[in-house]
Amino acid sequence: MTVTKSAVPLADDDRVRKISALRQTMIRPELGSICGTVAVFLLFLFVAPDSGMFSLEGVMNWGTVAAQFAIIAVGACLLMIAGEFDLSLGSMIGFAGIVIALLSTQFGCPLWLAIVAAFAAALAIGALNGYLVIRTGLPSFIVTLASLFILRGLTIYAPITINGSTIIGGVKSAAQGDWLAPVFGGKVLGGLFAWLAERGMVGTFKAGAKAGLPVVDGIPMLMVWAVLLVVLAHLLLTRTAFGNWIFAAGGDAGAARNVGVPVNRVKILMFMLSAFCATVLAACQVLEFGSAAADRGLFKEFEAVIAVVIGGTLLTGGYGTVVGAALGAVIFGVVQQGLFFAGVESSLFRVFLGVILLVAVVLNTYIRRLITGER
């Protein structure tokens, strides 16, 4: 008797591990940041309902703060997924800003050239950090910690030596007529907000020289850069072969090398991306304030890491999401401005950072155990 293939029921293969729908949801890296974002919005809707925090002006306030965190979180996220850290990120913000301000105001360089020079210097330093990590085998924590102190020291020394002060002004004058300045310091959709103001859909100034003009006169390029970087990084990570290389480099570098992944090149490029993102924020800040200060970027390296960890990226590398990191940045922006709107002492923001970091690490450890089956 011939037994057909369809007549024999297929037994479950014990080697194939089935994952329930609930478990699949639980191990999504951005789950924690989604829950955190919802919880934070609900909290401030309850404690500060009439503060104007969720008016257009309020949204622009906390949205601008969130954009600052998001820009640096993008670079930190991809680097952490690749299995490395960059503690020099905050110092890079101050360093790049001082380079732009000194070259444009003290040395007479066109602002566009000063910005390009700052990006070139930052990318070179990022590549050097990556190269040292690869060549020496030292932890990136140590290499970039050294860079943190070197850059911060140079950022203080250079302006004091050249200008006698750690604050360099005059950038707004240097930006007049410069073709690159609007890319970092301009605003978009100004006409739309003016049109909305004419129809009473956007608040306007009631008195003074700006009477009748919209309170919100456009979306700053800082926010545009944040959205652009988040979208591009997400597409890179999830839609390209290079994105797979980033995950592989952080997950198991040895195995990745064995299948042809250029792990060293990937890691160096991610260090350069981190430096690039820091310089984008520096350029936006310099053009917004019209000056550079040596203490800009202080503690930003830690805030970026916390935003990324909140977003679900594992400290061990090989797992994470840019969308989660962006939501972590939104949480930071909402909480920082929400404390102000609620009339709470702003220093408690640091307390919040510490608590949420601890909670996020515990949650991520639990998720890692779900993925790997560890006890």
Side-chain angles (χ1 to χ4, degrees), residues 215-266:
V215 175
V216 178
D217 58 355
I219 299 175
M221 286 303 298
L222 179 75
M223 298 179 72
V224 175
W225 270 106
V227 173
L228 182 64
L229 287 172
V230 168
V231 171
L232 291 179
H234 174 70
L235 293 176
L236 173 70
L237 200 60
T238 61
R239 296 289 187 270
T240 68
F242 190 84
N244 291 333
W245 290 358
I246 295 173
F247 282 111
D252 189 332
R257 287 190 180 94
N258 291 337
V259 296
V261 175
V263 172
N264 292 352
R265 185 173 62 177
V266 169

mmCIF file of all heavy atoms in Angstrom, residues 215-266:
data_model
loop_
_atom_site.group_PDB
_atom_site.id
_atom_site.type_symbol
_atom_site.label_atom_id
_atom_site.label_comp_id
_atom_site.label_asym_id
_atom_site.label_seq_id
_atom_site.Cartn_x
_atom_site.Cartn_y
_atom_site.Cartn_z
ATOM 1 N N VAL A 215 2.013 84.132 16.664
ATOM 2 C CA VAL A 215 2.947 83.804 17.743
ATOM 3 C C VAL A 215 3.900 82.708 17.279
ATOM 4 O O VAL A 215 5.091 82.739 17.563
ATOM 5 C CB VAL A 215 2.178 83.365 19.006
ATOM 6 C CG1 VAL A 215 3.147 82.915 20.095
ATOM 7 C CG2 VAL A 215 1.300 84.494 19.513
ATOM 8 N N VAL A 216 3.364 81.735 16.564
ATOM 9 C CA VAL A 216 4.186 80.692 15.952
ATOM 10 C C VAL A 216 4.292 81.027 14.463
ATOM 11 O O VAL A 216 3.294 80.953 13.732
ATOM 12 C CB VAL A 216 3.569 79.296 16.146
ATOM 13 C CG1 VAL A 216 4.420 78.248 15.444
ATOM 14 C CG2 VAL A 216 3.439 78.976 17.628
ATOM 15 N N ASP A 217 5.474 81.438 14.031
ATOM 16 C CA ASP A 217 5.628 81.919 12.657
ATOM 17 C C ASP A 217 6.322 80.921 11.733
ATOM 18 O O ASP A 217 6.773 81.281 10.647
ATOM 19 C CB ASP A 217 6.396 83.238 12.636
ATOM 20 C CG ASP A 217 7.774 83.115 13.276
ATOM 21 O OD1 ASP A 217 8.089 82.034 13.820
ATOM 22 O OD2 ASP A 217 8.543 84.096 13.233
ATOM 23 N N GLY A 218 6.415 79.678 12.155
ATOM 24 C CA GLY A 218 7.020 78.659 11.313
ATOM 25 C C GLY A 218 7.587 77.518 12.135
ATOM 26 O O GLY A 218 7.636 77.584 13.369
ATOM 27 N N ILE A 219 7.990 76.476 11.455
ATOM 28 C CA ILE A 219 8.606 75.324 12.105
ATOM 29 C C ILE A 219 10.118 75.450 11.983
ATOM 30 O O ILE A 219 10.640 75.534 10.865
ATOM 31 C CB ILE A 219 8.135 74.011 11.451
ATOM 32 C CG1 ILE A 219 6.616 73.862 11.599
ATOM 33 C CG2 ILE A 219 8.850 72.814 12.069
ATOM 34 C CD1 ILE A 219 6.047 72.657 10.893
ATOM 35 N N PRO A 220 10.833 75.507 13.108
ATOM 36 C CA PRO A 220 12.286 75.683 13.039
ATOM 37 C C PRO A 220 12.982 74.501 12.382
ATOM 38 O O PRO A 220 12.510 73.360 12.468
ATOM 39 C CB PRO A 220 12.694 75.828 14.518
ATOM 40 C CG PRO A 220 11.598 75.192 15.292
ATOM 41 C CD PRO A 220 10.346 75.406 14.498
ATOM 42 N N MET A 221 14.101 74.790 11.739
ATOM 43 C CA MET A 221 14.846 73.741 11.048
ATOM 44 C C MET A 221 15.349 72.671 12.009
ATOM 45 O O MET A 221 15.598 71.529 11.593
ATOM 46 C CB MET A 221 16.026 74.357 10.293
ATOM 47 C CG MET A 221 15.625 75.115 9.044
ATOM 48 S SD MET A 221 14.693 74.101 7.862
ATOM 49 C CE MET A 221 15.898 72.828 7.453
ATOM 50 N N LEU A 222 15.483 73.007 13.282
ATOM 51 C CA LEU A 222 15.859 72.013 14.282
ATOM 52 C C LEU A 222 14.889 70.839 14.260
ATOM 53 O O LEU A 222 15.287 69.671 14.272
ATOM 54 C CB LEU A 222 15.884 72.660 15.669
ATOM 55 C CG LEU A 222 16.242 71.751 16.848
ATOM 56 C CD1 LEU A 222 17.736 71.457 16.850
ATOM 57 C CD2 LEU A 222 15.835 72.408 18.166
ATOM 58 N N MET A 223 13.581 71.153 14.200
ATOM 59 C CA MET A 223 12.566 70.100 14.171
ATOM 60 C C MET A 223 12.566 69.370 12.825
ATOM 61 O O MET A 223 12.350 68.152 12.774
ATOM 62 C CB MET A 223 11.195 70.704 14.465
ATOM 63 C CG MET A 223 11.088 71.340 15.839
ATOM 64 S SD MET A 223 9.474 72.079 16.178
ATOM 65 C CE MET A 223 8.463 70.613 16.379
ATOM 66 N N VAL A 224 12.811 70.115 11.752
ATOM 67 C CA VAL A 224 12.879 69.486 10.430
ATOM 68 C C VAL A 224 14.032 68.490 10.376
ATOM 69 O O VAL A 224 13.885 67.363 9.880
ATOM 70 C CB VAL A 224 13.048 70.557 9.334
ATOM 71 C CG1 VAL A 224 13.248 69.891 7.967
ATOM 72 C CG2 VAL A 224 11.839 71.488 9.308
ATOM 73 N N TRP A 225 15.200 68.887 10.897
ATOM 74 C CA TRP A 225 16.356 67.994 10.933
ATOM 75 C C TRP A 225 16.048 66.745 11.767
ATOM 76 O O TRP A 225 16.443 65.637 11.399
ATOM 77 C CB TRP A 225 17.566 68.723 11.513
ATOM 78 C CG TRP A 225 18.392 69.428 10.496
ATOM 79 C CD1 TRP A 225 18.464 70.775 10.262
ATOM 80 C CD2 TRP A 225 19.297 68.832 9.562
ATOM 81 N NE1 TRP A 225 19.339 71.053 9.238
ATOM 82 C CE2 TRP A 225 19.869 69.884 8.797
ATOM 83 C CE3 TRP A 225 19.679 67.522 9.296
ATOM 84 C CZ2 TRP A 225 20.811 69.637 7.794
ATOM 85 C CZ3 TRP A 225 20.610 67.280 8.295
ATOM 86 C CH2 TRP A 225 21.160 68.331 7.555
ATOM 87 N N ALA A 226 15.357 66.932 12.895
ATOM 88 C CA ALA A 226 15.043 65.782 13.753
ATOM 89 C C ALA A 226 14.181 64.771 13.009
ATOM 90 O O ALA A 226 14.473 63.562 13.011
ATOM 91 C CB ALA A 226 14.330 66.262 15.019
ATOM 92 N N VAL A 227 13.127 65.247 12.360
ATOM 93 C CA VAL A 227 12.234 64.343 11.622
ATOM 94 C C VAL A 227 12.988 63.684 10.466
ATOM 95 O O VAL A 227 12.870 62.465 10.242
ATOM 96 C CB VAL A 227 11.008 65.110 11.093
ATOM 97 C CG1 VAL A 227 10.170 64.215 10.176
ATOM 98 C CG2 VAL A 227 10.158 65.616 12.252
ATOM 99 N N LEU A 228 13.783 64.471 9.748
ATOM 100 C CA LEU A 228 14.524 63.945 8.601
ATOM 101 C C LEU A 228 15.498 62.845 9.023
ATOM 102 O O LEU A 228 15.563 61.776 8.401
ATOM 103 C CB LEU A 228 15.274 65.086 7.919
ATOM 104 C CG LEU A 228 16.072 64.729 6.659
ATOM 105 C CD1 LEU A 228 15.137 64.267 5.558
ATOM 106 C CD2 LEU A 228 16.893 65.933 6.188
ATOM 107 N N LEU A 229 16.245 63.095 10.091
ATOM 108 C CA LEU A 229 17.219 62.110 10.551
ATOM 109 C C LEU A 229 16.546 60.834 11.058
ATOM 110 O O LEU A 229 17.024 59.723 10.800
ATOM 111 C CB LEU A 229 18.102 62.713 11.645
ATOM 112 C CG LEU A 229 19.141 63.743 11.181
ATOM 113 C CD1 LEU A 229 19.807 64.414 12.385
ATOM 114 C CD2 LEU A 229 20.197 63.086 10.305
ATOM 115 N N VAL A 230 15.439 61.000 11.781
ATOM 116 C CA VAL A 230 14.720 59.827 12.294
ATOM 117 C C VAL A 230 14.205 58.972 11.143
ATOM 118 O O VAL A 230 14.368 57.742 11.133
ATOM 119 C CB VAL A 230 13.560 60.252 13.212
ATOM 120 C CG1 VAL A 230 12.639 59.064 13.514
ATOM 121 C CG2 VAL A 230 14.098 60.826 14.516
ATOM 122 N N VAL A 231 13.598 59.609 10.144
ATOM 123 C CA VAL A 231 13.039 58.867 9.013
ATOM 124 C C VAL A 231 14.142 58.165 8.219
ATOM 125 O O VAL A 231 14.040 56.968 7.902
ATOM 126 C CB VAL A 231 12.236 59.807 8.097
ATOM 127 C CG1 VAL A 231 11.846 59.098 6.800
ATOM 128 C CG2 VAL A 231 10.986 60.306 8.809
ATOM 129 N N LEU A 232 15.207 58.891 7.901
ATOM 130 C CA LEU A 232 16.287 58.299 7.115
ATOM 131 C C LEU A 232 16.975 57.164 7.873
ATOM 132 O O LEU A 232 17.305 56.124 7.289
ATOM 133 C CB LEU A 232 17.304 59.379 6.735
ATOM 134 C CG LEU A 232 16.829 60.424 5.722
ATOM 135 C CD1 LEU A 232 17.927 61.452 5.459
ATOM 136 C CD2 LEU A 232 16.394 59.770 4.414
ATOM 137 N N ALA A 233 17.214 57.368 9.174
ATOM 138 C CA ALA A 233 17.868 56.324 9.963
ATOM 139 C C ALA A 233 16.982 55.096 10.085
ATOM 140 O O ALA A 233 17.470 53.954 10.038
ATOM 141 C CB ALA A 233 18.219 56.866 11.354
ATOM 142 N N HIS A 234 15.682 55.312 10.240
ATOM 143 C CA HIS A 234 14.752 54.177 10.323
ATOM 144 C C HIS A 234 14.761 53.379 9.020
ATOM 145 O O HIS A 234 14.806 52.137 9.034
ATOM 146 C CB HIS A 234 13.342 54.681 10.623
ATOM 147 C CG HIS A 234 12.298 53.606 10.598
ATOM 148 N ND1 HIS A 234 12.218 52.615 11.564
ATOM 149 C CD2 HIS A 234 11.304 53.338 9.705
ATOM 150 C CE1 HIS A 234 11.215 51.794 11.279
ATOM 151 N NE2 HIS A 234 10.653 52.212 10.160
ATOM 152 N N LEU A 235 14.721 54.088 7.890
ATOM 153 C CA LEU A 235 14.756 53.403 6.599
ATOM 154 C C LEU A 235 16.081 52.671 6.399
ATOM 155 O O LEU A 235 16.112 51.541 5.886
ATOM 156 C CB LEU A 235 14.535 54.412 5.468
ATOM 157 C CG LEU A 235 13.141 55.052 5.400
ATOM 158 C CD1 LEU A 235 13.096 56.101 4.296
ATOM 159 C CD2 LEU A 235 12.064 53.996 5.174
ATOM 160 N N LEU A 236 17.168 53.307 6.793
ATOM 161 C CA LEU A 236 18.485 52.672 6.680
ATOM 162 C C LEU A 236 18.530 51.380 7.486
ATOM 163 O O LEU A 236 19.035 50.355 7.018
ATOM 164 C CB LEU A 236 19.567 53.634 7.170
ATOM 165 C CG LEU A 236 20.994 53.062 7.283
ATOM 166 C CD1 LEU A 236 21.558 52.814 5.890
ATOM 167 C CD2 LEU A 236 21.896 54.011 8.064
ATOM 168 N N LEU A 237 17.982 51.437 8.689
ATOM 169 C CA LEU A 237 18.082 50.298 9.598
ATOM 170 C C LEU A 237 17.164 49.156 9.205
ATOM 171 O O LEU A 237 17.497 47.987 9.417
ATOM 172 C CB LEU A 237 17.759 50.769 11.023
ATOM 173 C CG LEU A 237 18.241 49.911 12.190
ATOM 174 C CD1 LEU A 237 19.759 49.780 12.186
ATOM 175 C CD2 LEU A 237 17.769 50.505 13.513
ATOM 176 N N THR A 238 16.015 49.469 8.644
ATOM 177 C CA THR A 238 14.997 48.433 8.405
ATOM 178 C C THR A 238 14.804 48.053 6.941
ATOM 179 O O THR A 238 14.158 47.050 6.651
ATOM 180 C CB THR A 238 13.638 48.896 8.964
ATOM 181 O OG1 THR A 238 13.237 50.110 8.291
ATOM 182 C CG2 THR A 238 13.725 49.139 10.455
ATOM 183 N N ARG A 239 15.361 48.845 6.017
ATOM 184 C CA ARG A 239 15.081 48.597 4.605
ATOM 185 C C ARG A 239 16.329 48.372 3.755
ATOM 186 O O ARG A 239 16.219 48.257 2.539
ATOM 187 C CB ARG A 239 14.287 49.787 4.011
ATOM 188 C CG ARG A 239 12.909 50.000 4.609
ATOM 189 C CD ARG A 239 11.952 48.902 4.175
ATOM 190 N NE ARG A 239 10.583 49.178 4.598
ATOM 191 C CZ ARG A 239 10.063 48.791 5.743
ATOM 192 N NH1 ARG A 239 10.818 48.089 6.596
ATOM 193 N NH2 ARG A 239 8.816 49.074 6.051
ATOM 194 N N THR A 240 17.488 48.332 4.367
ATOM 195 C CA THR A 240 18.711 48.185 3.574
ATOM 196 C C THR A 240 19.588 47.067 4.120
ATOM 197 O O THR A 240 19.482 46.680 5.293
ATOM 198 C CB THR A 240 19.533 49.491 3.574
ATOM 199 O OG1 THR A 240 20.059 49.728 4.890
ATOM 200 C CG2 THR A 240 18.685 50.676 3.156
ATOM 201 N N ALA A 241 20.471 46.589 3.258
ATOM 202 C CA ALA A 241 21.436 45.573 3.686
ATOM 203 C C ALA A 241 22.388 46.139 4.726
ATOM 204 O O ALA A 241 22.809 45.426 5.646
ATOM 205 C CB ALA A 241 22.216 45.062 2.470
ATOM 206 N N PHE A 242 22.713 47.427 4.593
ATOM 207 C CA PHE A 242 23.606 48.044 5.574
ATOM 208 C C PHE A 242 22.980 48.034 6.965
ATOM 209 O O PHE A 242 23.675 47.883 7.973
ATOM 210 C CB PHE A 242 23.954 49.471 5.158
ATOM 211 C CG PHE A 242 25.049 50.092 5.977
ATOM 212 C CD1 PHE A 242 26.387 49.858 5.668
ATOM 213 C CD2 PHE A 242 24.757 50.903 7.068
ATOM 214 C CE1 PHE A 242 27.395 50.417 6.428
ATOM 215 C CE2 PHE A 242 25.759 51.463 7.828
ATOM 216 C CZ PHE A 242 27.089 51.219 7.514
ATOM 217 N N GLY A 243 21.663 48.201 7.020
ATOM 218 C CA GLY A 243 20.976 48.111 8.308
ATOM 219 C C GLY A 243 21.152 46.748 8.937
ATOM 220 O O GLY A 243 21.365 46.623 10.156
ATOM 221 N N ASN A 244 21.078 45.708 8.122
ATOM 222 C CA ASN A 244 21.323 44.355 8.633
ATOM 223 C C ASN A 244 22.759 44.215 9.143
ATOM 224 O O ASN A 244 23.014 43.515 10.131
ATOM 225 C CB ASN A 244 21.056 43.327 7.538
ATOM 226 C CG ASN A 244 19.592 43.223 7.179
ATOM 227 O OD1 ASN A 244 18.722 43.494 8.012
ATOM 228 N ND2 ASN A 244 19.294 42.848 5.944
ATOM 229 N N TRP A 245 23.685 44.858 8.458
ATOM 230 C CA TRP A 245 25.085 44.830 8.911
ATOM 231 C C TRP A 245 25.230 45.476 10.283
ATOM 232 O O TRP A 245 26.006 45.002 11.120
ATOM 233 C CB TRP A 245 25.965 45.558 7.903
ATOM 234 C CG TRP A 245 26.143 44.862 6.597
ATOM 235 C CD1 TRP A 245 25.642 43.638 6.246
ATOM 236 C CD2 TRP A 245 26.859 45.341 5.456
ATOM 237 N NE1 TRP A 245 25.997 43.321 4.965
ATOM 238 C CE2 TRP A 245 26.759 44.345 4.444
ATOM 239 C CE3 TRP A 245 27.568 46.498 5.179
ATOM 240 C CZ2 TRP A 245 27.333 44.495 3.201
ATOM 241 C CZ3 TRP A 245 28.166 46.648 3.934
ATOM 242 C CH2 TRP A 245 28.045 45.656 2.950
ATOM 243 N N ILE A 246 24.489 46.564 10.514
ATOM 244 C CA ILE A 246 24.562 47.244 11.817
ATOM 245 C C ILE A 246 24.097 46.302 12.921
ATOM 246 O O ILE A 246 24.748 46.167 13.974
ATOM 247 C CB ILE A 246 23.710 48.528 11.803
ATOM 248 C CG1 ILE A 246 24.278 49.537 10.805
ATOM 249 C CG2 ILE A 246 23.661 49.155 13.208
ATOM 250 C CD1 ILE A 246 23.404 50.760 10.604
ATOM 251 N N PHE A 247 22.962 45.644 12.703
ATOM 252 C CA PHE A 247 22.472 44.680 13.689
ATOM 253 C C PHE A 247 23.473 43.546 13.890
ATOM 254 O O PHE A 247 23.730 43.123 15.025
ATOM 255 C CB PHE A 247 21.123 44.104 13.242
ATOM 256 C CG PHE A 247 19.950 45.007 13.461
ATOM 257 C CD1 PHE A 247 19.275 45.574 12.397
ATOM 258 C CD2 PHE A 247 19.512 45.293 14.748
ATOM 259 C CE1 PHE A 247 18.184 46.398 12.599
ATOM 260 C CE2 PHE A 247 18.420 46.120 14.969
ATOM 261 C CZ PHE A 247 17.751 46.675 13.879
ATOM 262 N N ALA A 248 24.030 43.051 12.795
ATOM 263 C CA ALA A 248 24.968 41.932 12.877
ATOM 264 C C ALA A 248 26.239 42.326 13.618
ATOM 265 O O ALA A 248 26.767 41.552 14.430
ATOM 266 C CB ALA A 248 25.311 41.435 11.474
ATOM 267 N N ALA A 249 26.735 43.536 13.358
ATOM 268 C CA ALA A 249 27.966 43.994 14.007
ATOM 269 C C ALA A 249 27.799 44.081 15.515
ATOM 270 O O ALA A 249 28.729 43.798 16.277
ATOM 271 C CB ALA A 249 28.383 45.350 13.439
ATOM 272 N N GLY A 250 26.613 44.464 15.961
ATOM 273 C CA GLY A 250 26.373 44.566 17.398
ATOM 274 C C GLY A 250 25.917 43.282 18.033
ATOM 275 O O GLY A 250 26.115 43.055 19.223
ATOM 276 N N GLY A 251 25.305 42.404 17.248
ATOM 277 C CA GLY A 251 24.795 41.153 17.800
ATOM 278 C C GLY A 251 25.887 40.128 18.026
ATOM 279 O O GLY A 251 26.042 39.599 19.130
ATOM 280 N N ASP A 252 26.664 39.841 16.993
ATOM 281 C CA ASP A 252 27.765 38.883 17.097
ATOM 282 C C ASP A 252 28.789 39.258 16.030
ATOM 283 O O ASP A 252 28.696 38.826 14.885
ATOM 284 C CB ASP A 252 27.262 37.455 16.891
ATOM 285 C CG ASP A 252 28.326 36.403 17.215
ATOM 286 O OD1 ASP A 252 29.525 36.710 17.074
ATOM 287 O OD2 ASP A 252 27.959 35.282 17.606
ATOM 288 N N ALA A 253 29.766 40.070 16.419
ATOM 289 C CA ALA A 253 30.740 40.599 15.457
ATOM 290 C C ALA A 253 31.531 39.475 14.789
ATOM 291 O O ALA A 253 31.806 39.532 13.585
ATOM 292 C CB ALA A 253 31.692 41.573 16.152
ATOM 293 N N GLY A 254 31.892 38.451 15.548
ATOM 294 C CA GLY A 254 32.665 37.345 14.992
ATOM 295 C C GLY A 254 31.896 36.603 13.913
ATOM 296 O O GLY A 254 32.424 36.332 12.823
ATOM 297 N N ALA A 255 30.653 36.263 14.213
ATOM 298 C CA ALA A 255 29.827 35.562 13.227
ATOM 299 C C ALA A 255 29.570 36.443 12.009
ATOM 300 O O ALA A 255 29.536 35.956 10.874
ATOM 301 C CB ALA A 255 28.498 35.147 13.867
ATOM 302 N N ALA A 256 29.388 37.754 12.254
ATOM 303 C CA ALA A 256 29.150 38.687 11.148
ATOM 304 C C ALA A 256 30.350 38.722 10.205
ATOM 305 O O ALA A 256 30.201 38.726 8.981
ATOM 306 C CB ALA A 256 28.857 40.084 11.692
ATOM 307 N N ARG A 257 31.551 38.743 10.773
ATOM 308 C CA ARG A 257 32.769 38.742 9.936
ATOM 309 C C ARG A 257 32.853 37.461 9.112
ATOM 310 O O ARG A 257 33.280 37.479 7.948
ATOM 311 C CB ARG A 257 34.007 38.888 10.816
ATOM 312 C CG ARG A 257 34.218 40.274 11.396
ATOM 313 C CD ARG A 257 35.592 40.403 12.048
ATOM 314 N NE ARG A 257 35.780 41.737 12.599
ATOM 315 C CZ ARG A 257 35.530 42.084 13.850
ATOM 316 N NH1 ARG A 257 35.060 41.162 14.691
ATOM 317 N NH2 ARG A 257 35.729 43.308 14.267
ATOM 318 N N ASN A 258 32.451 36.360 9.705
ATOM 319 C CA ASN A 258 32.538 35.080 9.003
ATOM 320 C C ASN A 258 31.636 35.001 7.778
ATOM 321 O O ASN A 258 31.899 34.225 6.862
ATOM 322 C CB ASN A 258 32.197 33.934 9.959
ATOM 323 C CG ASN A 258 33.266 33.728 11.023
ATOM 324 O OD1 ASN A 258 34.420 34.103 10.834
ATOM 325 N ND2 ASN A 258 32.870 33.139 12.147
ATOM 326 N N VAL A 259 30.566 35.800 7.778
ATOM 327 C CA VAL A 259 29.669 35.792 6.616
ATOM 328 C C VAL A 259 29.902 37.002 5.715
ATOM 329 O O VAL A 259 29.088 37.299 4.844
ATOM 330 C CB VAL A 259 28.193 35.736 7.063
ATOM 331 C CG1 VAL A 259 27.903 34.444 7.792
ATOM 332 C CG2 VAL A 259 27.829 36.943 7.925
ATOM 333 N N GLY A 260 30.996 37.713 5.946
ATOM 334 C CA GLY A 260 31.383 38.774 5.028
ATOM 335 C C GLY A 260 30.952 40.170 5.384
ATOM 336 O O GLY A 260 31.107 41.090 4.564
ATOM 337 N N VAL A 261 30.426 40.378 6.576
ATOM 338 C CA VAL A 261 30.025 41.734 6.984
ATOM 339 C C VAL A 261 31.271 42.538 7.351
ATOM 340 O O VAL A 261 32.075 42.087 8.174
ATOM 341 C CB VAL A 261 29.055 41.684 8.188
ATOM 342 C CG1 VAL A 261 28.751 43.093 8.684
ATOM 343 C CG2 VAL A 261 27.773 40.962 7.811
ATOM 344 N N PRO A 262 31.455 43.731 6.772
ATOM 345 C CA PRO A 262 32.626 44.568 7.108
ATOM 346 C C PRO A 262 32.413 45.265 8.454
ATOM 347 O O PRO A 262 32.131 46.464 8.510
ATOM 348 C CB PRO A 262 32.686 45.564 5.949
ATOM 349 C CG PRO A 262 31.266 45.703 5.495
ATOM 350 C CD PRO A 262 30.632 44.352 5.715
ATOM 351 N N VAL A 263 32.556 44.510 9.520
ATOM 352 C CA VAL A 263 32.215 44.986 10.857
ATOM 353 C C VAL A 263 32.996 46.253 11.222
ATOM 354 O O VAL A 263 32.421 47.212 11.752
ATOM 355 C CB VAL A 263 32.475 43.878 11.903
ATOM 356 C CG1 VAL A 263 32.324 44.424 13.325
ATOM 357 C CG2 VAL A 263 31.519 42.719 11.677
ATOM 358 N N ASN A 264 34.293 46.268 10.949
ATOM 359 C CA ASN A 264 35.102 47.430 11.320
ATOM 360 C C ASN A 264 34.616 48.698 10.623
ATOM 361 O O ASN A 264 34.489 49.751 11.242
ATOM 362 C CB ASN A 264 36.572 47.181 10.970
ATOM 363 C CG ASN A 264 37.189 46.097 11.828
ATOM 364 O OD1 ASN A 264 36.574 45.627 12.785
ATOM 365 N ND2 ASN A 264 38.392 45.669 11.488
ATOM 366 N N ARG A 265 34.319 48.572 9.337
ATOM 367 C CA ARG A 265 33.849 49.740 8.594
ATOM 368 C C ARG A 265 32.498 50.213 9.117
ATOM 369 O O ARG A 265 32.253 51.427 9.239
ATOM 370 C CB ARG A 265 33.744 49.403 7.106
ATOM 371 C CG ARG A 265 33.366 50.592 6.238
ATOM 372 C CD ARG A 265 33.436 50.252 4.765
ATOM 373 N NE ARG A 265 32.502 49.196 4.416
ATOM 374 C CZ ARG A 265 32.325 48.741 3.174
ATOM 375 N NH1 ARG A 265 33.049 49.227 2.185
ATOM 376 N NH2 ARG A 265 31.446 47.779 2.940
ATOM 377 N N VAL A 266 31.620 49.278 9.428
ATOM 378 C CA VAL A 266 30.305 49.628 9.957
ATOM 379 C C VAL A 266 30.438 50.415 11.261
ATOM 380 O O VAL A 266 29.795 51.457 11.449
ATOM 381 C CB VAL A 266 29.457 48.362 10.180
ATOM 382 C CG1 VAL A 266 28.198 48.684 10.984
ATOM 383 C CG2 VAL A 266 29.076 47.737 8.852
#
